[in-house]
Amino acid sequence: MNGLRYRRWVAAVVCLVATTMVRPVHADAGDFGAMPGLWKIQVRHVENGKAGAPTVTWHCVDEGADPWTTFAAWTPAQGECTTTDPQRRTTSLTWKLTCKGSPAASAHVDFDSAKHYTGSVSVAGHGEVIQVEGDRYAACTSPED
């Protein structure tokens, strides 16, 4: 895969499209070890082994939220990509990505507490290409949070 094509693929990976994450598994939020509330999510592109400046988003997670749609929402799924082999444990989510014309990728989110997680997307032959970190800051104060 040439450099430009690889960069385009990485750019596609960063898009925040969670719709394919919902189809494979519906997780029961009651047994998933993450707190509801206002979360700060930082996503960083990794190039040549160095993480770039973060893109920051804020997201309000309610108590009944499906972990796949809330904590895996930063992950890729644009174009002709499919998500396979979803795995959910009480403190982690993992899945594989297959995109037409691109190398295979895998993604994960790991919680070290109910208020903090880290994760990444790794591409076969290229290593880690995206890093993510989430921190819970406070309770949500309104539906507009």
Side-chain angles (χ1 to χ4, degrees):
M1 177 181 288
N2 68 34
L4 179 59
R5 189 170 169 193
Y6 173 71
R7 286 188 192 142
R8 285 183 181 160
W9 185 85
V10 169
V13 168
V14 174
C15 290
L16 302 175
V17 181
T19 55
T20 61
M21 299 310 301
V22 177
R23 280 186 270 140
V25 171
H26 179 74
D28 179 7
D31 66 355
F32 192 72
M35 289 183 69
L38 183 62
W39 285 78
K40 177 182 179 182
I41 296 119
Q42 299 181 68
V43 177
R44 293 177 170 88
H45 292 18
V46 178
E47 196 166 323
N48 299 321
K50 295 184 180 183
T55 301
V56 176
T57 58
W58 292 87
H59 183 71
C60 189
V61 176
D62 65 23
E63 286 191 42
D66 182 337
W68 285 105
T69 60
T70 55
F71 296 106
W74 59 271
T75 59
Q78 180 175 343
E80 296 182 49
C81 295
T82 57
T83 302
T84 59
D85 196 23
Q87 303 286 319
R88 180 182 52 85
R89 294 173 186 78
T90 57
T91 60
S92 67
L93 303 169
T94 61
W95 59 98
K96 294 184 190 311
L97 297 162
T98 306
C99 299
K100 186 176 181 181
S102 299
S106 59
H108 71 94
V109 175
D110 295 305
F111 286 79
D112 54 26
S113 75
K115 296 180 179 184
H116 181 261
Y117 69 86
T118 57
S120 68
V121 173
S122 297
V123 177
H126 295 282
E128 195 173 63
V129 296
I130 298 172
Q131 295 175 344
V132 66
E133 182 173 9
D135 290 291
R136 184 190 180 276
Y137 272 75
C140 296
T141 56
S142 74
E144 289 79 34
D145 283 344

